[in-house]
Amino acid sequence: MRLPEFIRAHMEEILWTWEDDAKTILPGPRLSRDVLRDHMEEILLCIAVELERQPLGHDGISQASARIHGSERHDLGADIVDVASEFRALRHTVIELWVQHQDGPLDKKGLSELKRFDHEIDIALAQSIENYALKKQQQGRLFETMLSSLPDPCFILDLDGVFLYANKAMAELCQVRAEDIVGCSFTQMPLPSQYNGKERLREVIRYKEQRESEVKIESPGGKIRYFECLYAPVIDDQGEVEAISGIAHEVTHRKEAEARIWRHANYDLLTGMPNRRLFMDRLGQHAAHSDRTGDPFALLFIDLDYFKGVNDRLGHDAGDTLLKTIAQRINSCVRQSDTVARIGGDEFTVLLLDTGDRELIDGIASNILAELDRPFQLGENDASISCSIGITIFPEDAGTAQQLLSDADQAMYEAKHTGRNRLCYFTDVMRSDGTKRQRMINDLREAPLSDQLRLFYQPIVDLSNGRIVKAEALLRWQHPEQGLKLPVEFLGLAEESGLMSALEHWVFSEAAAQSLNWSDFGDDSFQLTINSSPLQFAQNIHSKPWEAHLETFQQSRTGIAIELTENVFLGDSEQLARNFLELKEAGVQLALDDFGTGYSSLAYLKRFDVNYLKIDQSFVRDDGAGSNSHAIAETIIMMAHKLGLEVVAEGVETDEQRAWLKAAGCDFAQGFFFSEPMPAREFEQLLRIGHILH
């Protein structure tokens, strides 16, 4: 909501809060509080109107209300300090309430409105004070005493820029005594040129209009302060400028808040490095510069090896400490002119400017590899990781910033796939494996059309009686030359190349058709779980691969559940909520896979309608003496049941594991102990039997 709309919509709240904030300066019972509230409402409404207009550099329409306010406050017995304090309280109230009602950081338009609001309040304050002063002409000494007590610097200059008056705050700002400032030239004061420039004063005199500026002042103690200054012409009876009045309002806190907002938007809060947003901005700037000058630069894409294992073993606090140390080590390897950024969880980038020299690039990248290969001390624990680095050079390898990043990412994956803890240039990828990767993408694109895809099914057993009540559908690719491929060998490529949607549509279509073959001997309790890519699920606003097959699943009396890993919660939470609601309304259940290893929390489980959890197999395995895996699994089971969720344990391989899970109250289990994944025909035979008992 824009500021003018906010002022109108929340007028009562603003006035109520303002009255509470300003209760020590409001008039007593014998004076009219209603009149004062009416003044403030009129001033705010006038400011709202002025904010909706294009800035024209002339007096705002709020001045008439402000003049009346100043006159009537004088008549009510208030003093000028009260008048100024009322405006200061009003300024604080409006800004604080508006910021509280914002969903996030202020955008540029919001900041502009905030500055203009400050400007209009300053105008209203200046006009109110001026009219008040006219009422007090015969009480000059008292007027001067009161004006001098204002916290905002105020002054009056003659047409040559010589001080006719300055309050105590202005004298302190100029670092002189109040009694010594009158008669001195404005340009003699130790103020920045924006503040004491003669040109600004000439404009006020020539155009008989107000002028404003923002200045930065460093105090003798080194503290930086920011002021917004307003200069206004004092017009005599003949309509000529006889003096110039000025008032300055300190906006240091606002400037500091703006700086904090900008930093939060552009820097990683954990490491203090530029984040993806700032990195992409700088990458685009360097690419544009390189286009103009022909100067090359290099991009390093760094992905940590084995970071997840350290994070799982030692916890997120240790993982955060590790990331901060990694950032410091990477920074120590680059030049001062280079940029290091953290663009993802365990992904870093480095911009090496003004170089295409492979020897220099190799040296820096090799130093990073060596630094991250050294052990890390995390409290009482040691940790060892490494990294894989992809390197690309602009403009040699790519013509756009986005393509450069994509190429570096591809080179990094090649470094990871060929052994980790190494670097790889994109040009080397293209020479050694570029055509191979492209052939694989082309083959994968043809796979659904050439009858090369297969669905295998792994039974999920009710631990209380051994009945097969569910099955997980698992995709396989029967490559004509390379044989049967598991998902780990091609799903990443499908995600990168945009083929995941086509694969998921095929999976749901095949699973729905197959379920019709089981309708004769299945029952209404049987359910098929189908994996979906978290990225695809979060981004698929319009394409829903399950939607077209709901009627087929209903005919076969087969329930379905979408199975997602926990990192689905890294996406847009509002869009996720809409997607999850659509699943619920369609009768599709939601399973959370690999629970305990990713990003979920109790808050997610409560907010989103998750039906059951799948405990990751790492918690099912017995890791020997001292292992707390079983304790974690039992805690997950208990927690899930408290929330009304059912639990499936994955990776069950022994009878001891089955017995322990059953005793712990786990609902279902799957794993090689019961059955390996099998083709549809073999699974159908097993489903006819209906149970697995050992």
Side-chain angles (χ1 to χ4, degrees):
M1 183 181 292
R2 303 262 62 95
L3 184 52
E5 299 169 355
F6 173 82
I7 290 174
R8 292 190 179 93
H10 297 267
M11 182 65 74
E12 283 302 314
E13 180 184 6
I14 291 171
L15 292 176
W16 182 88
T17 306
W18 167 77
E19 189 172 31
D20 184 67
D21 290 344
K23 57 188 174 185
T24 59
I25 58 174
L26 293 175
R30 67 183 182 84
L31 302 175
S32 174
R33 299 171 70 90
D34 291 338
V35 170
L36 178 58
R37 283 173 59 89
D38 289 343
H39 288 169
M40 289 304 174
E41 182 174 0
E42 288 177 14
I43 290 170
L44 284 175
L45 289 174
C46 289
I47 288 177
V49 171
E50 187 64 20
L51 290 178
E52 291 169 337
R53 295 186 175 188
Q54 291 295 326
L56 298 175
H58 53 67
D59 292 357
I61 61 173
S62 61
Q63 294 179 16
S65 300
R67 289 193 183 98
I68 296 171
H69 172 77
S71 301
E72 295 194 9
R73 291 296 284 125
H74 169 265
D75 295 340
L76 288 174
D79 62 33
I80 200 166
V81 175
D82 293 340
V83 175
S85 299
E86 288 160 3
F87 278 91
R88 287 165 62 84
L90 184 64
R91 184 200 312 268
H92 172 78
T93 299
V94 173
I95 292 176
E96 184 175 87
L97 288 177
W98 188 43
V99 171
Q100 288 176 3
H101 281 76
Q102 298 300 305
D103 295 330
L106 296 178
D107 56 19
K108 289 183 179 179
K109 188 172 181 180
L111 292 174
S112 175
E113 289 179 346
L114 191 61
K115 291 179 181 179
R116 290 190 63 196
F117 175 77
D118 267 351
H119 169 67
E120 293 298 326
I121 285 288
D122 284 341
I123 292 174
L125 174 58
Q127 292 299 330
S128 186
I129 291 174
E130 181 181 349
N131 227 34
Y132 188 98
L134 292 175
K135 288 279 188 176
K136 302 287 287 183
Q137 285 181 358
Q138 288 75 33
Q139 301 176 5
R141 184 169 56 84
L142 179 60
F143 163 72
E144 182 176 347
T145 300
M146 290 185 292
L147 189 59
S148 294
S149 66
L150 284 175
D152 288 337
C154 301
F155 55 88
I156 299 176
L157 306 171
D158 67 14
L159 300 187
D160 294 322
V162 176
F163 280 100
L164 300 177
Y165 171 81
N167 70 351
K168 183 179 179 181
M170 186 64 192
E172 290 176 350
L173 191 64
C174 295
Q175 304 169 34
V176 297
R177 295 185 305 174
E179 56 267 28
D180 295 335
I181 195 171
V182 175
C184 294
S185 171
F186 201 58
T187 57
Q188 294 176 315
M189 298 298 107
L191 300 173
S193 59
Q194 306 102 297
Y195 206 143
N196 59 21
K198 288 185 177 180
E199 186 61 32
R200 188 60 53 88
L201 303 182
R202 290 195 190 101
E203 290 179 2
V204 175
I205 297 170
R206 178 180 178 184
Y207 297 105
K208 301 179 183 180
E209 292 179 348
Q210 297 178 1
R211 289 292 185 266
E212 59 181 297
S213 65
E214 182 179 290
V215 297
K216 183 174 87 171
I217 298 176
E218 184 174 355
S219 66
K223 181 182 178 182
I224 301 297
R225 302 170 68 188
Y226 295 89
F227 289 85
E228 286 184 347
C229 309
L230 178 69
Y231 307 88
V234 180
I235 308 297
D236 62 18
D237 294 339
Q238 287 74 42
E240 298 298 325
V241 178
E242 64 177 357
I244 301 167
S245 66
I247 185 170
H249 171 63
E250 185 167 6
V251 292
T252 303
H253 292 309
R254 193 195 77 205
K255 297 290 287 186
E256 291 173 346
E258 290 174 0
R260 284 195 300 270
I261 292 170
W262 184 87
R263 183 165 185 84
H264 286 172
N266 291 280
Y267 282 85
D268 175 48
L269 298 182
L270 177 64
T271 64
M273 287 181 163
N275 60 15
R276 176 180 285 271
R277 175 178 174 175
L278 183 56
F279 165 76
M280 292 303 297
D281 180 67
R282 291 186 180 177
L283 180 61
Q285 290 181 21
H286 292 312
H289 173 78
S290 183
D291 274 339
R292 292 192 305 269
T293 64
D295 296 334
F297 67 91
L299 170 62
L300 276 58
F301 195 115
I302 304 169
D303 187 84
L304 303 181
D305 304 326
Y306 315 114
F307 173 76
K308 183 177 182 298
V310 175
N311 209 36
D312 292 344
R313 179 168 61 89
L314 301 181
H316 291 292
D317 289 342
D320 288 347
T321 301
L322 177 59
L323 287 171
K324 288 189 283 188
T325 306
I326 287 168
Q328 293 167 1
R329 291 193 186 182
I330 295 175
N331 257 325
S332 70
C333 297
V334 303
R335 304 164 302 175
Q336 190 171 3
S337 60
D338 300 326
T339 296
V340 180
R342 181 187 178 210
I343 64 169
D346 59 353
E347 294 177 338
F348 296 81
T349 52
V350 179
L351 285 178
L352 301 179
L353 303 185
D354 304 321
T355 183
D357 183 357
R358 279 213 175 196
E359 185 175 349
L360 174 62
I361 298 169
D362 284 345
I364 293 175
S366 297
N367 287 340
I368 294 174
L369 288 173
E371 278 294 312
L372 299 193
D373 197 37
R374 291 193 296 111
F376 293 82
Q377 186 67 38
L378 304 175
E380 299 179 354
N381 299 295
D382 292 330
S384 294
I385 66 165
S386 61
C387 71
S388 301
I389 303 179
I391 306 173
T392 190
I393 300 173
F394 191 95
E396 177 183 332
D397 296 335
T400 66
Q402 188 60 51
Q403 187 60 49
L404 189 75
L405 182 63
S406 176
D407 292 347
D409 183 41
Q410 185 177 336
M412 179 276 296
Y413 273 107
E414 179 65 17
K416 193 175 287 289
H417 292 158
T418 54
R420 305 176 188 260
N421 195 23
R422 62 185 63 199
L423 61 88
C424 177
Y425 283 86
F426 178 70
T427 50
D428 297 335
V429 175
M430 294 303 293
R431 280 196 296 266
S432 65
D433 201 38
T435 55
K436 177 182 175 183
R437 182 177 184 275
Q438 191 58 51
R439 281 200 303 270
M440 185 66 74
I441 292 175
N442 292 338
D443 290 348
L444 187 55
R445 185 174 285 110
E446 289 295 322
L449 306 175
S450 303
D451 195 28
Q452 297 173 15
L453 299 180
R454 305 284 185 270
L455 273 188
F456 279 41
Y457 301 88
Q458 186 172 34
I460 299 174
V461 175
D462 186 333
L463 284 173
S464 66
N465 54 27
R467 289 182 59 246
I468 300 173
V469 293
K470 305 177 188 294
E472 181 177 357
L474 299 165
L475 182 61
R476 302 290 188 264
W477 179 14
Q478 186 66 51
H479 193 279
E481 298 174 0
Q482 301 175 27
L484 192 67
K485 285 185 169 294
L486 299 177
V488 70
E489 299 178 80
F490 62 87
L491 286 187
L493 191 63
E495 196 89 74
E496 294 173 31
S497 57
L499 297 175
M500 185 62 77
S501 178
L503 295 184
E504 289 198 351
H505 277 279
W506 183 90
V507 168
F508 278 94
S509 175
E510 178 69 15
Q514 186 60 49
S515 69
L516 291 173
N517 298 330
W518 305 333
S519 57
D520 292 338
F521 47 89
D523 58 45
D524 292 338
S525 65
F526 181 73
Q527 185 184 64
L528 197 59
T529 70
I530 301 175
N531 292 279
S532 182
S533 157
L535 180 63
Q536 192 72 22
F537 181 82
Q539 293 181 347
N540 260 358
I541 301 174
H542 304 295
S543 175
K544 304 175 182 66
W546 45 269
E547 193 170 40
H549 308 289
L550 287 177
E551 185 176 345
T552 303
F553 282 115
Q554 292 169 357
Q555 291 175 2
S556 66
R557 297 187 300 164
T558 300
I560 60 170
I562 302 296
E563 192 167 310
L564 297 163
T565 55
E566 293 180 283
N567 54 2
V568 69
F569 296 119
L570 291 175
D572 179 353
S573 59
E574 295 301 323
Q575 182 59 46
L576 285 177
R578 289 190 287 270
N579 289 355
F580 287 147
L581 180 61
E582 287 184 354
L583 289 180
K584 181 178 179 181
E585 291 176 346
V588 179
Q589 292 194 324
L590 178 63
L592 203 57
D593 197 12
D594 299 336
F595 186 79
T597 64
Y599 304 89
S600 65
S601 67
L602 289 177
Y604 288 130
L605 299 181
K606 291 171 65 178
R607 178 179 178 185
F608 301 115
D609 195 16
V610 177
N611 298 100
Y612 57 94
L613 305 180
K614 301 191 75 173
I615 301 177
D616 185 71
Q617 60 184 348
S618 62
F619 299 117
V620 174
R621 292 193 300 265
D622 184 0
D623 293 334
S627 169
N628 58 4
S629 296
H630 284 188
I632 294 174
E634 290 168 0
T635 302
I636 292 174
I637 294 169
M638 180 177 64
M639 175 194 69
H641 287 169
K642 287 284 186 180
L643 294 174
L645 280 65
E646 295 182 305
V647 182
V648 179
E650 297 182 294
V652 178
E653 297 180 350
T654 67
D655 188 49
E656 289 77 9
Q657 292 170 353
R658 179 201 62 79
W660 157 66
L661 287 166
K662 181 178 180 181
C666 186
D667 303 290
F668 312 104
Q670 70 182 100
F672 286 1
F673 175 73
F674 302 105
S675 172
E676 296 183 8
M678 60 186 68
R681 182 170 296 182
E682 295 179 21
F683 177 73
E684 181 178 325
Q685 295 174 359
L686 187 63
L687 191 60
R688 287 179 183 276
I689 300 172
H691 62 269
I692 299 176
L693 296 175
H694 291 271

